[in-house]
Amino acid sequence: MPAGSRKGNTMERYYQQDVECASPEKMREIQNEKLLKQVKHVWDHVPYYRKKMEAKGITPDDIHSIDDIGKLPFLSKADLREAYPYGLLGKPLKECVRIQSTSGTTGKRVVAFYTQHDIDLWEDCCARAITAAGGTDEDVCQVSYGYGLFTGGPGLNGGSHKVGCLTIPTSSGNTDRQIMFINDLKATILCCTPSYAAYLAERMKEMGLGPDDIPLKAGIFGAEAWSEEMRQDIQNNLGIKAYDIYGLTELSGPGVSFECSEQSGMHVNEDHFLPEIIDPDTEEVLPLGSEGELVFTALDKEAFPMIRYRTRDICCLSREKCSCGRTLIKMKKPKGRSDDMLIIRGVNVFPSQIETVLLNQGYAANYQIIVGRVNNTDTLDVHVEMTPEMFTDNLGEINKRQRDLADGLKSMLGIKAKVTLVVPKSITRSEGKAVRVIDNRKI
Ligand code: DLL
């Protein structure tokens, strides 16, 4: 049951206060107990992982506490592909009640299995996120993430039920109908990707609806990297507080971590998902506060028990005290996936860095990054939509704006980019995860 407690002037609510605010000693005890059990579980039931442990010369007897986690082998996307579809199952299919799956854009789909216990803990994680965003059983929660194989819709839907919100399962798409439901049914919480939230805000503005006309008070946005500047834009345009949420199919879906009222990074549900940061090249575990690749061990997932799963997400962890009262470790906004990182003329470029420059100069997050190669040299072209307010056909003005953006990108990235301003609404809007990059070098 959700519990409220007074902290300073604000009423912070928790869904599972005992774990969300547990002492470090208590959390360690929970993690130690679950890790030992989980390692034994995979040793006994997942021959694929047992072989990996044997290859490293270890058995469950070598794992005494979370301090021994570094002895365990990693799992990667390549392992998931090799073991597809059943090779990493930790429970008989008879005990599994659901699968979810990734879109498979970067190779074979990941198919994740769930027992009823797994779904229950996943939904608890999403309920924690909704409660941290201020959700209660008085709220109306519109879930505009895709339903079906994608985890966004089902995860937040389950969490919303647990909190007791009236849940509107619109799924993604049909934007005008989304807006109708938000207004007619007085939705107070919106769950969708940040790029879809930006599009909903744009469409509402076109319909003459300003932030004060919209009943929403909070948004729970994730599934893709988004900048602080984009958060500000969405908050201003919808008149809400925008909370980040992170997760991945391999580990259940949304709710691996979630933001609280402080909005300064996401609390990891570390009683279920033990995080580490490693150097992606050497696989060395890095000290707290270092930037590197996020690795998670699912401590109590039964059907798809990921141990030391390499997410490819670049991020860092922090144990700084949080004003919300939660003691769960925090992760910063992921910069992006190491797979999304572009190497252009030898320089590492994340799309989120480009987004920061555009939004700082007053553009919306409607852009496309086109990478190519001419005469063995990489090219970086950024197409940016003018907003309706700044739209002009004055070539001098357009050239000046393009130069300003190119200068901003040069100082952010350290390399030159060609900027082309395009007319409003000419870049396709996304209803789910936005596709920002076209890398013609890969074709
Ligand atoms: O995107 C699960 C999800 C649904 C998370 C709804 C949040 C909200 P996948 O499709 O498996 O699962 O994609 C997982 O998306 O490894 C990250 O690269 C990226 N990602 C997810 N959340 C965030 C976020 C879902 N808040 C992959 N910020 C992850 C940045 C994110 N990237």
Side-chain angles (χ1 to χ4, degrees), residues 8 16 36 89 94 99 125 142 199 202-203 237 239 245 254 263 284 297 301 304 319 344 366 393 434:
Q16 289 167 322
L36 267 54
L89 259 186
K94 192 172 170 296
I99 68 138
C125 290
Q142 182 152 321
Y199 179 41
E202 183 183 15
R203 184 74 191 117
N237 296 337
I245 185 167
Q263 291 178 303
E284 179 201 352
T297 296
K301 244 155 55 73
F304 205 56
R319 279 247 180 241
I344 298 169
N366 297 315
D393 50 12

mmCIF file with all atom_site columns, all heavy atoms in Angstrom, residues 8 16 36 89 94 99 125 142 199 202-203 237 239 245 254 263 284 297 301 304 319 344 366 393 434:
data_model
loop_
_atom_site.group_PDB
_atom_site.id
_atom_site.type_symbol
_atom_site.label_atom_id
_atom_site.label_alt_id
_atom_site.label_comp_id
_atom_site.label_asym_id
_atom_site.label_entity_id
_atom_site.label_seq_id
_atom_site.pdbx_PDB_ins_code
_atom_site.Cartn_x
_atom_site.Cartn_y
_atom_site.Cartn_z
_atom_site.occupancy
_atom_site.B_iso_or_equiv
_atom_site.pdbx_formal_charge
_atom_site.auth_seq_id
_atom_site.auth_comp_id
_atom_site.auth_asym_id
_atom_site.auth_atom_id
_atom_site.pdbx_PDB_model_num
ATOM 1   N N   . GLY A 1 8   ? 9.889  17.977  5.328   1.00 0.00 ? 8   GLY A N   1
ATOM 2   C CA  . GLY A 1 8   ? 9.934  19.424  5.143   1.00 0.00 ? 8   GLY A CA  1
ATOM 3   C C   . GLY A 1 8   ? 8.546  19.922  4.832   1.00 0.00 ? 8   GLY A C   1
ATOM 4   O O   . GLY A 1 8   ? 7.585  19.553  5.504   1.00 0.00 ? 8   GLY A O   1
ATOM 5   N N   . GLN A 1 16  ? 6.397  1.744   -1.826  1.00 0.00 ? 16  GLN A N   1
ATOM 6   C CA  . GLN A 1 16  ? 6.910  0.715   -0.909  1.00 0.00 ? 16  GLN A CA  1
ATOM 7   C C   . GLN A 1 16  ? 8.011  1.350   -0.064  1.00 0.00 ? 16  GLN A C   1
ATOM 8   O O   . GLN A 1 16  ? 9.201  1.123   -0.295  1.00 0.00 ? 16  GLN A O   1
ATOM 9   C CB  . GLN A 1 16  ? 7.426  -0.493  -1.704  1.00 0.00 ? 16  GLN A CB  1
ATOM 10  C CG  . GLN A 1 16  ? 6.275  -1.279  -2.323  1.00 0.00 ? 16  GLN A CG  1
ATOM 11  C CD  . GLN A 1 16  ? 6.687  -2.300  -3.366  1.00 0.00 ? 16  GLN A CD  1
ATOM 12  O OE1 . GLN A 1 16  ? 7.596  -2.056  -4.145  1.00 0.00 ? 16  GLN A OE1 1
ATOM 13  N NE2 . GLN A 1 16  ? 6.007  -3.436  -3.371  1.00 0.00 ? 16  GLN A NE2 1
ATOM 14  N N   . LEU A 1 36  ? 22.484 -14.375 -3.756  1.00 0.00 ? 36  LEU A N   1
ATOM 15  C CA  . LEU A 1 36  ? 22.895 -15.771 -3.524  1.00 0.00 ? 36  LEU A CA  1
ATOM 16  C C   . LEU A 1 36  ? 21.837 -16.736 -4.057  1.00 0.00 ? 36  LEU A C   1
ATOM 17  O O   . LEU A 1 36  ? 22.152 -17.739 -4.689  1.00 0.00 ? 36  LEU A O   1
ATOM 18  C CB  . LEU A 1 36  ? 23.136 -15.997 -2.020  1.00 0.00 ? 36  LEU A CB  1
ATOM 19  C CG  . LEU A 1 36  ? 24.583 -15.800 -1.543  1.00 0.00 ? 36  LEU A CG  1
ATOM 20  C CD1 . LEU A 1 36  ? 25.166 -14.462 -1.926  1.00 0.00 ? 36  LEU A CD1 1
ATOM 21  C CD2 . LEU A 1 36  ? 24.713 -16.039 -0.052  1.00 0.00 ? 36  LEU A CD2 1
ATOM 22  N N   . LEU A 1 89  ? 15.961 -19.325 -20.443 1.00 0.00 ? 89  LEU A N   1
ATOM 23  C CA  . LEU A 1 89  ? 14.781 -19.508 -19.578 1.00 0.00 ? 89  LEU A CA  1
ATOM 24  C C   . LEU A 1 89  ? 15.167 -20.092 -18.225 1.00 0.00 ? 89  LEU A C   1
ATOM 25  O O   . LEU A 1 89  ? 15.919 -21.061 -18.155 1.00 0.00 ? 89  LEU A O   1
ATOM 26  C CB  . LEU A 1 89  ? 13.828 -20.502 -20.233 1.00 0.00 ? 89  LEU A CB  1
ATOM 27  C CG  . LEU A 1 89  ? 12.610 -19.973 -20.961 1.00 0.00 ? 89  LEU A CG  1
ATOM 28  C CD1 . LEU A 1 89  ? 11.735 -21.145 -21.404 1.00 0.00 ? 89  LEU A CD1 1
ATOM 29  C CD2 . LEU A 1 89  ? 11.803 -19.032 -20.074 1.00 0.00 ? 89  LEU A CD2 1
ATOM 30  N N   . LYS A 1 94  ? 5.706  -23.781 -18.834 1.00 0.00 ? 94  LYS A N   1
ATOM 31  C CA  . LYS A 1 94  ? 4.407  -23.971 -18.185 1.00 0.00 ? 94  LYS A CA  1
ATOM 32  C C   . LYS A 1 94  ? 4.166  -22.913 -17.101 1.00 0.00 ? 94  LYS A C   1
ATOM 33  O O   . LYS A 1 94  ? 3.043  -22.524 -16.827 1.00 0.00 ? 94  LYS A O   1
ATOM 34  C CB  . LYS A 1 94  ? 4.410  -25.368 -17.562 1.00 0.00 ? 94  LYS A CB  1
ATOM 35  C CG  . LYS A 1 94  ? 3.097  -25.885 -17.096 1.00 0.00 ? 94  LYS A CG  1
ATOM 36  C CD  . LYS A 1 94  ? 3.251  -27.345 -16.701 1.00 0.00 ? 94  LYS A CD  1
ATOM 37  C CE  . LYS A 1 94  ? 2.032  -27.873 -15.999 1.00 0.00 ? 94  LYS A CE  1
ATOM 38  N NZ  . LYS A 1 94  ? 1.743  -27.240 -14.728 1.00 0.00 ? 94  LYS A NZ  1
ATOM 39  N N   . ILE A 1 99  ? 5.142  -13.040 -22.684 1.00 0.00 ? 99  ILE A N   1
ATOM 40  C CA  . ILE A 1 99  ? 6.411  -12.566 -23.251 1.00 0.00 ? 99  ILE A CA  1
ATOM 41  C C   . ILE A 1 99  ? 6.237  -11.103 -23.610 1.00 0.00 ? 99  ILE A C   1
ATOM 42  O O   . ILE A 1 99  ? 5.111  -10.613 -23.799 1.00 0.00 ? 99  ILE A O   1
ATOM 43  C CB  . ILE A 1 99  ? 6.871  -13.327 -24.529 1.00 0.00 ? 99  ILE A CB  1
ATOM 44  C CG1 . ILE A 1 99  ? 5.924  -13.033 -25.708 1.00 0.00 ? 99  ILE A CG1 1
ATOM 45  C CG2 . ILE A 1 99  ? 7.040  -14.811 -24.300 1.00 0.00 ? 99  ILE A CG2 1
ATOM 46  C CD1 . ILE A 1 99  ? 6.641  -12.808 -27.004 1.00 0.00 ? 99  ILE A CD1 1
ATOM 47  N N   . CYS A 1 125 ? 7.440  -1.905  -9.567  1.00 0.00 ? 125 CYS A N   1
ATOM 48  C CA  . CYS A 1 125 ? 8.448  -0.880  -9.932  1.00 0.00 ? 125 CYS A CA  1
ATOM 49  C C   . CYS A 1 125 ? 7.769  0.296   -10.634 1.00 0.00 ? 125 CYS A C   1
ATOM 50  O O   . CYS A 1 125 ? 8.096  1.465   -10.378 1.00 0.00 ? 125 CYS A O   1
ATOM 51  C CB  . CYS A 1 125 ? 9.509  -1.480  -10.851 1.00 0.00 ? 125 CYS A CB  1
ATOM 52  S SG  . CYS A 1 125 ? 10.573 -2.657  -10.011 1.00 0.00 ? 125 CYS A SG  1
ATOM 53  N N   . GLN A 1 142 ? -3.232 8.407   -18.180 1.00 0.00 ? 142 GLN A N   1
ATOM 54  C CA  . GLN A 1 142 ? -3.378 8.015   -19.590 1.00 0.00 ? 142 GLN A CA  1
ATOM 55  C C   . GLN A 1 142 ? -2.057 7.397   -20.051 1.00 0.00 ? 142 GLN A C   1
ATOM 56  O O   . GLN A 1 142 ? -1.019 8.050   -20.027 1.00 0.00 ? 142 GLN A O   1
ATOM 57  C CB  . GLN A 1 142 ? -3.726 9.238   -20.437 1.00 0.00 ? 142 GLN A CB  1
ATOM 58  C CG  . GLN A 1 142 ? -3.928 8.868   -21.901 1.00 0.00 ? 142 GLN A CG  1
ATOM 59  C CD  . GLN A 1 142 ? -4.880 9.808   -22.614 1.00 0.00 ? 142 GLN A CD  1
ATOM 60  O OE1 . GLN A 1 142 ? -5.898 10.241  -22.044 1.00 0.00 ? 142 GLN A OE1 1
ATOM 61  N NE2 . GLN A 1 142 ? -4.584 10.130  -23.841 1.00 0.00 ? 142 GLN A NE2 1
ATOM 62  N N   . TYR A 1 199 ? 5.145  16.119  -29.303 1.00 0.00 ? 199 TYR A N   1
ATOM 63  C CA  . TYR A 1 199 ? 4.203  16.201  -30.426 1.00 0.00 ? 199 TYR A CA  1
ATOM 64  C C   . TYR A 1 199 ? 2.780  16.487  -29.930 1.00 0.00 ? 199 TYR A C   1
ATOM 65  O O   . TYR A 1 199 ? 2.054  17.315  -30.507 1.00 0.00 ? 199 TYR A O   1
ATOM 66  C CB  . TYR A 1 199 ? 4.258  14.907  -31.251 1.00 0.00 ? 199 TYR A CB  1
ATOM 67  C CG  . TYR A 1 199 ? 3.299  14.917  -32.419 1.00 0.00 ? 199 TYR A CG  1
ATOM 68  C CD1 . TYR A 1 199 ? 3.112  16.065  -33.199 1.00 0.00 ? 199 TYR A CD1 1
ATOM 69  C CD2 . TYR A 1 199 ? 2.566  13.778  -32.750 1.00 0.00 ? 199 TYR A CD2 1
ATOM 70  C CE1 . TYR A 1 199 ? 2.220  16.074  -34.265 1.00 0.00 ? 199 TYR A CE1 1
ATOM 71  C CE2 . TYR A 1 199 ? 1.677  13.780  -33.815 1.00 0.00 ? 199 TYR A CE2 1
ATOM 72  C CZ  . TYR A 1 199 ? 1.507  14.931  -34.567 1.00 0.00 ? 199 TYR A CZ  1
ATOM 73  O OH  . TYR A 1 199 ? 0.619  14.939  -35.611 1.00 0.00 ? 199 TYR A OH  1
ATOM 74  N N   . GLU A 1 202 ? 2.566  20.081  -29.199 1.00 0.00 ? 202 GLU A N   1
ATOM 75  C CA  . GLU A 1 202 ? 2.512  20.872  -30.450 1.00 0.00 ? 202 GLU A CA  1
ATOM 76  C C   . GLU A 1 202 ? 1.093  20.862  -31.034 1.00 0.00 ? 202 GLU A C   1
ATOM 77  O O   . GLU A 1 202 ? 0.544  21.888  -31.417 1.00 0.00 ? 202 GLU A O   1
ATOM 78  C CB  . GLU A 1 202 ? 3.497  20.233  -31.436 1.00 0.00 ? 202 GLU A CB  1
ATOM 79  C CG  . GLU A 1 202 ? 3.632  20.967  -32.748 1.00 0.00 ? 202 GLU A CG  1
ATOM 80  C CD  . GLU A 1 202 ? 4.581  20.234  -33.708 1.00 0.00 ? 202 GLU A CD  1
ATOM 81  O OE1 . GLU A 1 202 ? 4.921  19.052  -33.494 1.00 0.00 ? 202 GLU A OE1 1
ATOM 82  O OE2 . GLU A 1 202 ? 4.960  20.864  -34.707 1.00 0.00 ? 202 GLU A OE2 1
ATOM 83  N N   . ARG A 1 203 ? 0.498  19.675  -31.033 1.00 0.00 ? 203 ARG A N   1
ATOM 84  C CA  . ARG A 1 203 ? -0.864 19.525  -31.604 1.00 0.00 ? 203 ARG A CA  1
ATOM 85  C C   . ARG A 1 203 ? -1.885 20.298  -30.741 1.00 0.00 ? 203 ARG A C   1
ATOM 86  O O   . ARG A 1 203 ? -2.800 20.918  -31.267 1.00 0.00 ? 203 ARG A O   1
ATOM 87  C CB  . ARG A 1 203 ? -1.181 18.029  -31.672 1.00 0.00 ? 203 ARG A CB  1
ATOM 88  C CG  . ARG A 1 203 ? -2.484 17.712  -32.311 1.00 0.00 ? 203 ARG A CG  1
ATOM 89  C CD  . ARG A 1 203 ? -2.469 17.876  -33.833 1.00 0.00 ? 203 ARG A CD  1
ATOM 90  N NE  . ARG A 1 203 ? -3.839 17.808  -34.333 1.00 0.00 ? 203 ARG A NE  1
ATOM 91  C CZ  . ARG A 1 203 ? -4.472 18.797  -34.942 1.00 0.00 ? 203 ARG A CZ  1
ATOM 92  N NH1 . ARG A 1 203 ? -3.868 19.944  -35.208 1.00 0.00 ? 203 ARG A NH1 1
ATOM 93  N NH2 . ARG A 1 203 ? -5.726 18.649  -35.335 1.00 0.00 ? 203 ARG A NH2 1
ATOM 94  N N   . ASN A 1 237 ? 5.205  23.743  -22.095 1.00 0.00 ? 237 ASN A N   1
ATOM 95  C CA  . ASN A 1 237 ? 4.118  23.677  -23.074 1.00 0.00 ? 237 ASN A CA  1
ATOM 96  C C   . ASN A 1 237 ? 2.887  22.933  -22.564 1.00 0.00 ? 237 ASN A C   1
ATOM 97  O O   . ASN A 1 237 ? 1.769  23.211  -22.984 1.00 0.00 ? 237 ASN A O   1
ATOM 98  C CB  . ASN A 1 237 ? 4.606  23.039  -24.381 1.00 0.00 ? 237 ASN A CB  1
ATOM 99  C CG  . ASN A 1 237 ? 5.662  23.905  -25.040 1.00 0.00 ? 237 ASN A CG  1
ATOM 100 O OD1 . ASN A 1 237 ? 5.715  25.116  -24.792 1.00 0.00 ? 237 ASN A OD1 1
ATOM 101 N ND2 . ASN A 1 237 ? 6.526  23.313  -25.850 1.00 0.00 ? 237 ASN A ND2 1
ATOM 102 N N   . GLY A 1 239 ? 2.394  22.511  -19.122 1.00 0.00 ? 239 GLY A N   1
ATOM 103 C CA  . GLY A 1 239 ? 2.087  22.969  -17.764 1.00 0.00 ? 239 GLY A CA  1
ATOM 104 C C   . GLY A 1 239 ? 2.133  21.829  -16.760 1.00 0.00 ? 239 GLY A C   1
ATOM 105 O O   . GLY A 1 239 ? 1.257  21.713  -15.888 1.00 0.00 ? 239 GLY A O   1
ATOM 106 N N   . ILE A 1 245 ? 11.753 8.143   -16.759 1.00 0.00 ? 245 ILE A N   1
ATOM 107 C CA  . ILE A 1 245 ? 11.674 6.737   -16.329 1.00 0.00 ? 245 ILE A CA  1
ATOM 108 C C   . ILE A 1 245 ? 12.516 5.914   -17.288 1.00 0.00 ? 245 ILE A C   1
ATOM 109 O O   . ILE A 1 245 ? 12.547 6.179   -18.481 1.00 0.00 ? 245 ILE A O   1
ATOM 110 C CB  . ILE A 1 245 ? 10.209 6.237   -16.282 1.00 0.00 ? 245 ILE A CB  1
ATOM 111 C CG1 . ILE A 1 245 ? 10.141 4.807   -15.721 1.00 0.00 ? 245 ILE A CG1 1
ATOM 112 C CG2 . ILE A 1 245 ? 9.527  6.308   -17.640 1.00 0.00 ? 245 ILE A CG2 1
ATOM 113 C CD1 . ILE A 1 245 ? 8.737  4.343   -15.354 1.00 0.00 ? 245 ILE A CD1 1
ATOM 114 N N   . PRO A 1 254 ? 9.897  -0.734  -18.433 1.00 0.00 ? 254 PRO A N   1
ATOM 115 C CA  . PRO A 1 254 ? 10.041 0.517   -17.687 1.00 0.00 ? 254 PRO A CA  1
ATOM 116 C C   . PRO A 1 254 ? 10.016 0.251   -16.184 1.00 0.00 ? 254 PRO A C   1
ATOM 117 O O   . PRO A 1 254 ? 9.393  -0.718  -15.746 1.00 0.00 ? 254 PRO A O   1
ATOM 118 C CB  . PRO A 1 254 ? 8.797  1.318   -18.102 1.00 0.00 ? 254 PRO A CB  1
ATOM 119 C CG  . PRO A 1 254 ? 7.821  0.306   -18.612 1.00 0.00 ? 254 PRO A CG  1
ATOM 120 C CD  . PRO A 1 254 ? 8.648  -0.777  -19.220 1.00 0.00 ? 254 PRO A CD  1
ATOM 121 N N   . GLN A 1 263 ? 13.886 15.619  -9.438  1.00 0.00 ? 263 GLN A N   1
ATOM 122 C CA  . GLN A 1 263 ? 14.183 15.613  -10.880 1.00 0.00 ? 263 GLN A CA  1
ATOM 123 C C   . GLN A 1 263 ? 15.674 15.731  -11.174 1.00 0.00 ? 263 GLN A C   1
ATOM 124 O O   . GLN A 1 263 ? 16.089 16.500  -12.046 1.00 0.00 ? 263 GLN A O   1
ATOM 125 C CB  . GLN A 1 263 ? 13.449 16.760  -11.591 1.00 0.00 ? 263 GLN A CB  1
ATOM 126 C CG  . GLN A 1 263 ? 11.939 16.576  -11.640 1.00 0.00 ? 263 GLN A CG  1
ATOM 127 C CD  . GLN A 1 263 ? 11.260 17.751  -12.302 1.00 0.00 ? 263 GLN A CD  1
ATOM 128 O OE1 . GLN A 1 263 ? 11.428 18.882  -11.854 1.00 0.00 ? 263 GLN A OE1 1
ATOM 129 N NE2 . GLN A 1 263 ? 10.489 17.518  -13.357 1.00 0.00 ? 263 GLN A NE2 1
ATOM 130 N N   . GLU A 1 284 ? 36.317 -3.489  -16.992 1.00 0.00 ? 284 GLU A N   1
ATOM 131 C CA  . GLU A 1 284 ? 36.716 -3.241  -15.610 1.00 0.00 ? 284 GLU A CA  1
ATOM 132 C C   . GLU A 1 284 ? 35.585 -2.483  -14.897 1.00 0.00 ? 284 GLU A C   1
ATOM 133 O O   . GLU A 1 284 ? 34.968 -1.586  -15.483 1.00 0.00 ? 284 GLU A O   1
ATOM 134 C CB  . GLU A 1 284 ? 37.986 -2.382  -15.643 1.00 0.00 ? 284 GLU A CB  1
ATOM 135 C CG  . GLU A 1 284 ? 38.537 -2.004  -14.303 1.00 0.00 ? 284 GLU A CG  1
ATOM 136 C CD  . GLU A 1 284 ? 39.447 -0.761  -14.399 1.00 0.00 ? 284 GLU A CD  1
ATOM 137 O OE1 . GLU A 1 284 ? 39.748 -0.321  -15.531 1.00 0.00 ? 284 GLU A OE1 1
ATOM 138 O OE2 . GLU A 1 284 ? 39.807 -0.236  -13.350 1.00 0.00 ? 284 GLU A OE2 1
ATOM 139 N N   . THR A 1 297 ? 22.185 -6.596  -12.679 1.00 0.00 ? 297 THR A N   1
ATOM 140 C CA  . THR A 1 297 ? 21.830 -7.963  -12.317 1.00 0.00 ? 297 THR A CA  1
ATOM 141 C C   . THR A 1 297 ? 20.409 -7.943  -11.773 1.00 0.00 ? 297 THR A C   1
ATOM 142 O O   . THR A 1 297 ? 20.124 -7.223  -10.809 1.00 0.00 ? 297 THR A O   1
ATOM 143 C CB  . THR A 1 297 ? 22.806 -8.503  -11.241 1.00 0.00 ? 297 THR A CB  1
ATOM 144 O OG1 . THR A 1 297 ? 24.106 -8.554  -11.818 1.00 0.00 ? 297 THR A OG1 1
ATOM 145 C CG2 . THR A 1 297 ? 22.397 -9.887  -10.772 1.00 0.00 ? 297 THR A CG2 1
ATOM 146 N N   . LYS A 1 301 ? 14.194 -11.802 -10.676 1.00 0.00 ? 301 LYS A N   1
ATOM 147 C CA  . LYS A 1 301 ? 13.383 -12.206 -11.824 1.00 0.00 ? 301 LYS A CA  1
ATOM 148 C C   . LYS A 1 301 ? 13.581 -13.711 -12.036 1.00 0.00 ? 301 LYS A C   1
ATOM 149 O O   . LYS A 1 301 ? 14.713 -14.190 -12.055 1.00 0.00 ? 301 LYS A O   1
ATOM 150 C CB  . LYS A 1 301 ? 13.851 -11.452 -13.064 1.00 0.00 ? 301 LYS A CB  1
ATOM 151 C CG  . LYS A 1 301 ? 12.776 -10.514 -13.643 1.00 0.00 ? 301 LYS A CG  1
ATOM 152 C CD  . LYS A 1 301 ? 13.382 -9.381  -14.422 1.00 0.00 ? 301 LYS A CD  1
ATOM 153 C CE  . LYS A 1 301 ? 14.312 -9.771  -15.523 1.00 0.00 ? 301 LYS A CE  1
ATOM 154 N NZ  . LYS A 1 301 ? 13.645 -10.338 -16.699 1.00 0.00 ? 301 LYS A NZ  1
ATOM 155 N N   . PHE A 1 304 ? 13.435 -14.976 -16.689 1.00 0.00 ? 304 PHE A N   1
ATOM 156 C CA  . PHE A 1 304 ? 14.487 -14.457 -17.578 1.00 0.00 ? 304 PHE A CA  1
ATOM 157 C C   . PHE A 1 304 ? 15.525 -13.778 -16.685 1.00 0.00 ? 304 PHE A C   1
ATOM 158 O O   . PHE A 1 304 ? 15.617 -12.553 -16.623 1.00 0.00 ? 304 PHE A O   1
ATOM 159 C CB  . PHE A 1 304 ? 13.826 -13.467 -18.555 1.00 0.00 ? 304 PHE A CB  1
ATOM 160 C CG  . PHE A 1 304 ? 14.558 -13.296 -19.851 1.00 0.00 ? 304 PHE A CG  1
ATOM 161 C CD1 . PHE A 1 304 ? 14.848 -14.382 -20.660 1.00 0.00 ? 304 PHE A CD1 1
ATOM 162 C CD2 . PHE A 1 304 ? 14.927 -12.024 -20.289 1.00 0.00 ? 304 PHE A CD2 1
ATOM 163 C CE1 . PHE A 1 304 ? 15.512 -14.209 -21.869 1.00 0.00 ? 304 PHE A CE1 1
ATOM 164 C CE2 . PHE A 1 304 ? 15.578 -11.840 -21.502 1.00 0.00 ? 304 PHE A CE2 1
ATOM 165 C CZ  . PHE A 1 304 ? 15.879 -12.933 -22.293 1.00 0.00 ? 304 PHE A CZ  1
ATOM 166 N N   . ARG A 1 319 ? 25.387 8.275   -5.079  1.00 0.00 ? 319 ARG A N   1
ATOM 167 C CA  . ARG A 1 319 ? 24.728 7.961   -3.801  1.00 0.00 ? 319 ARG A CA  1
ATOM 168 C C   . ARG A 1 319 ? 24.447 9.224   -3.012  1.00 0.00 ? 319 ARG A C   1
ATOM 169 O O   . ARG A 1 319 ? 24.298 9.189   -1.795  1.00 0.00 ? 319 ARG A O   1
ATOM 170 C CB  . ARG A 1 319 ? 25.616 7.038   -2.963  1.00 0.00 ? 319 ARG A CB  1
ATOM 171 C CG  . ARG A 1 319 ? 25.538 5.607   -3.354  1.00 0.00 ? 319 ARG A CG  1
ATOM 172 C CD  . ARG A 1 319 ? 24.899 4.747   -2.253  1.00 0.00 ? 319 ARG A CD  1
ATOM 173 N NE  . ARG A 1 319 ? 24.847 3.365   -2.705  1.00 0.00 ? 319 ARG A NE  1
ATOM 174 C CZ  . ARG A 1 319 ? 23.723 2.680   -2.853  1.00 0.00 ? 319 ARG A CZ  1
ATOM 175 N NH1 . ARG A 1 319 ? 22.571 3.221   -2.550  1.00 0.00 ? 319 ARG A NH1 1
ATOM 176 N NH2 . ARG A 1 319 ? 23.741 1.441   -3.290  1.00 0.00 ? 319 ARG A NH2 1
ATOM 177 N N   . ILE A 1 344 ? 32.338 10.398  -35.639 1.00 0.00 ? 344 ILE A N   1
ATOM 178 C CA  . ILE A 1 344 ? 32.430 11.219  -36.841 1.00 0.00 ? 344 ILE A CA  1
ATOM 179 C C   . ILE A 1 344 ? 33.807 11.861  -36.889 1.00 0.00 ? 344 ILE A C   1
ATOM 180 O O   . ILE A 1 344 ? 34.182 12.596  -35.974 1.00 0.00 ? 344 ILE A O   1
ATOM 181 C CB  . ILE A 1 344 ? 31.302 12.276  -36.857 1.00 0.00 ? 344 ILE A CB  1
ATOM 182 C CG1 . ILE A 1 344 ? 29.962 11.535  -36.879 1.00 0.00 ? 344 ILE A CG1 1
ATOM 183 C CG2 . ILE A 1 344 ? 31.435 13.202  -38.048 1.00 0.00 ? 344 ILE A CG2 1
ATOM 184 C CD1 . ILE A 1 344 ? 28.768 12.383  -36.639 1.00 0.00 ? 344 ILE A CD1 1
ATOM 185 N N   . ASN A 1 366 ? 12.647 18.795  -33.104 1.00 0.00 ? 366 ASN A N   1
ATOM 186 C CA  . ASN A 1 366 ? 12.288 18.208  -34.389 1.00 0.00 ? 366 ASN A CA  1
ATOM 187 C C   . ASN A 1 366 ? 13.491 18.351  -35.306 1.00 0.00 ? 366 ASN A C   1
ATOM 188 O O   . ASN A 1 366 ? 13.714 19.405  -35.896 1.00 0.00 ? 366 ASN A O   1
ATOM 189 C CB  . ASN A 1 366 ? 11.074 18.913  -34.993 1.00 0.00 ? 366 ASN A CB  1
ATOM 190 C CG  . ASN A 1 366 ? 9.852  18.747  -34.110 1.00 0.00 ? 366 ASN A CG  1
ATOM 191 O OD1 . ASN A 1 366 ? 9.588  17.636  -33.638 1.00 0.00 ? 366 ASN A OD1 1
ATOM 192 N ND2 . ASN A 1 366 ? 9.146  19.823  -33.829 1.00 0.00 ? 366 ASN A ND2 1
ATOM 193 N N   . ASP A 1 393 ? 11.006 33.451  -44.901 1.00 0.00 ? 393 ASP A N   1
ATOM 194 C CA  . ASP A 1 393 ? 11.651 33.084  -46.169 1.00 0.00 ? 393 ASP A CA  1
ATOM 195 C C   . ASP A 1 393 ? 12.773 34.071  -46.502 1.00 0.00 ? 393 ASP A C   1
ATOM 196 O O   . ASP A 1 393 ? 13.282 34.126  -47.609 1.00 0.00 ? 393 ASP A O   1
ATOM 197 C CB  . ASP A 1 393 ? 10.636 32.963  -47.316 1.00 0.00 ? 393 ASP A CB  1
ATOM 198 C CG  . ASP A 1 393 ? 9.735  34.172  -47.400 1.00 0.00 ? 393 ASP A CG  1
ATOM 199 O OD1 . ASP A 1 393 ? 10.036 35.178  -46.725 1.00 0.00 ? 393 ASP A OD1 1
ATOM 200 O OD2 . ASP A 1 393 ? 8.741  34.115  -48.149 1.00 0.00 ? 393 ASP A OD2 1
ATOM 201 N N   . ALA A 1 434 ? 11.635 8.127   -31.156 1.00 0.00 ? 434 ALA A N   1
ATOM 202 C CA  . ALA A 1 434 ? 11.961 8.908   -32.353 1.00 0.00 ? 434 ALA A CA  1
ATOM 203 C C   . ALA A 1 434 ? 13.198 8.339   -33.054 1.00 0.00 ? 434 ALA A C   1
ATOM 204 O O   . ALA A 1 434 ? 14.122 7.879   -32.397 1.00 0.00 ? 434 ALA A O   1
ATOM 205 C CB  . ALA A 1 434 ? 12.207 10.355  -31.953 1.00 0.00 ? 434 ALA A CB  1
#
